Amino acid sequence: MWSFIKILVVAVMALVVYLLTWPVSVEPQSWNAPAAPPLTGQYAVNSALANFEEFDIDGLHGPEAITSNAVGDIYATSHEGWIIRWPAAQDATHKAERWVNVGGRPLGIAFDAAQNLWVANAYSGLQKVTPAGVVSVEANTADGVAIRYADDLVVTPNGKVYFSDASTKFAAEDSPGTLEASLLSIMEHGDHGRIIKFDPATRETKVVMHKLTFANGVTSDELGRFLLVAETGSYRIWKHWLLGSRAGQTELIVDNLPGFPDNIHRGQDGRYWVGLTSPRAAILDKLAKKPFQ
């Protein structure tokens, strides 16, 4: 994991050279990055996940998200555009099969009650894949603004789809890739991320959260009362209420994480799992107050 930090720092340095030698519209914003919490106590390094099972991904790369359908088949996305599947009835080899290629760069995925698979595609927007494997783009704009980096999503019990548009400024398809676009967004620390609601019945989109620095993981509780949203660029998790007396309100519930939060998923017994792409890099936090134009 620490090697990832070295890669991140090298990538940032390469981007700095790129920005200085090529006309890219990056406007770094000054902000007060909080001191990273030490990796002790609840954040201490441990081996709790050491005994994992490895699943074959058929030579593909970048399985960004994973989900399962009503019968227990497991699905994941890949860098090459494939949705890969592991049938529930399978031997111990866990060999993947390539189910359907949705094109672009699929990231977040989730099933609805009719077993349609919804896909947040960084290049295409919000897609739907029917049980028969028919792919369609359901939304590529919201509030008149193009969806430029669809990242993660959740389908709530009422059938609405909530998904993140990580950055309306740094489009994943216009950059060398999703990683490069995310680094540009995080380096700028702008507020171009948003959370969008899509209603399959009316095909309407509505922005429900604005001004996020790289909006990323999205999930909900099992009753669809609220969303939890990972804001990668500011190391925090938001709670946005959908139902009840607080509907429409947003509150910060986790601040100053020790790493960059990515996907977030609902587990059992009220537990939520947040993936951190890497620990924080002290040099990036120190530079937060010193933007250059």
Side-chain angles (χ1 to χ4, degrees):
M1 185 172 288
W2 290 105
S3 62
F4 184 89
I5 293 181
K6 295 179 181 178
I7 294 172
L8 179 63
V9 171
V10 171
V12 169
M13 293 175 64
L15 279 171
V16 169
V17 174
Y18 172 63
L19 296 174
L20 293 173
T21 58
W22 194 258
V24 178
S25 180
V26 176
E27 302 171 293
Q29 304 300 306
S30 175
W31 72 291
N32 295 319
L39 299 181
T40 59
Q42 64 179 341
Y43 295 136
V45 176
N46 62 74
S47 58
L49 300 179
N51 296 322
F52 60 83
E53 289 185 71
E54 186 172 347
F55 280 58
D56 169 75
I57 58 173
D58 197 27
L60 300 173
H61 305 85
E64 170 75 13
I66 190 168
T67 192
S68 60
N69 62 11
V71 298
D73 300 328
I74 299 173
Y75 294 75
T77 55
S78 79
H79 184 81
E80 294 81 5
W82 282 98
I83 305 297
I84 50 181
R85 174 172 62 186
W86 296 267
Q90 191 185 64
D91 60 30
T93 62
H94 298 312
K95 184 169 178 58
E97 59 184 42
R98 302 186 185 194
W99 179 47
V100 64
N101 194 303
V102 298
R105 178 53 168 118
L107 296 175
I109 49 176
F111 281 97
D112 64 17
Q115 297 306 290
N116 297 300
L117 181 68
W118 292 86
V119 181
N121 193 311
Y123 293 0
S124 306
L126 180 65
Q127 296 175 305
K128 183 178 74 174
V129 186
T130 69
V134 178
V135 182
S136 60
V137 175
E138 298 296 300
N140 53 23
T141 63
D143 286 2
V145 177
I147 297 166
R148 307 187 74 194
Y149 199 138
D151 196 311
D152 196 20
L153 57 77
V154 66
V155 182
T156 52
N158 62 7
K160 306 299 190 295
V161 182
Y162 292 86
F163 64 101
S164 55
D165 186 10
S167 175
T168 58
K169 180 174 182 178
F170 299 104
E173 188 172 19
D174 294 343
S175 302
T178 52
L179 173 61
E180 291 81 2
S182 69
L183 290 175
L184 288 172
S185 179
I186 291 170
M187 285 175 61
E188 178 175 285
H189 205 268
D191 55 1
H192 309 296
R194 54 186 181 163
I195 303 299
I196 301 167
K197 178 179 75 171
F198 176 75
D199 186 339
T202 63
R203 300 188 60 78
E204 294 178 338
T205 57
K206 178 182 179 182
V207 178
V208 299
M209 291 180 68
H210 300 262
K211 298 183 181 301
L212 298 170
T213 301
F214 203 77
N216 205 325
V218 183
T219 193
S220 72
D221 73 317
E222 62 181 354
L223 299 179
R225 296 171 299 180
F226 58 80
L227 301 176
L228 295 182
V229 175
E231 185 182 14
T232 303
S234 296
Y235 321 127
R236 55 193 181 185
I237 307 293
W238 294 93
K239 186 176 189 176
H240 179 81
W241 289 92
L242 301 175
L243 302 176
S245 60
R246 289 177 286 181
Q249 297 180 20
T250 304
E251 57 185 295
L252 182 63
I253 62 168
V254 180
D255 197 11
N256 197 23
L257 285 164
F260 295 88
D262 198 316
N263 288 344
I264 179 169
H265 292 281
R266 184 175 68 246
Q268 297 178 329
D269 303 323
R271 182 184 295 112
Y272 293 85
W273 294 89
V274 180
L276 303 181
T277 60
S278 79
R280 303 251 294 269
I283 186 173
L284 298 183
D285 287 343
K286 288 180 181 179
L287 291 172
K289 293 183 181 180
K290 304 174 182 179
F292 63 90
Q293 302 295 332

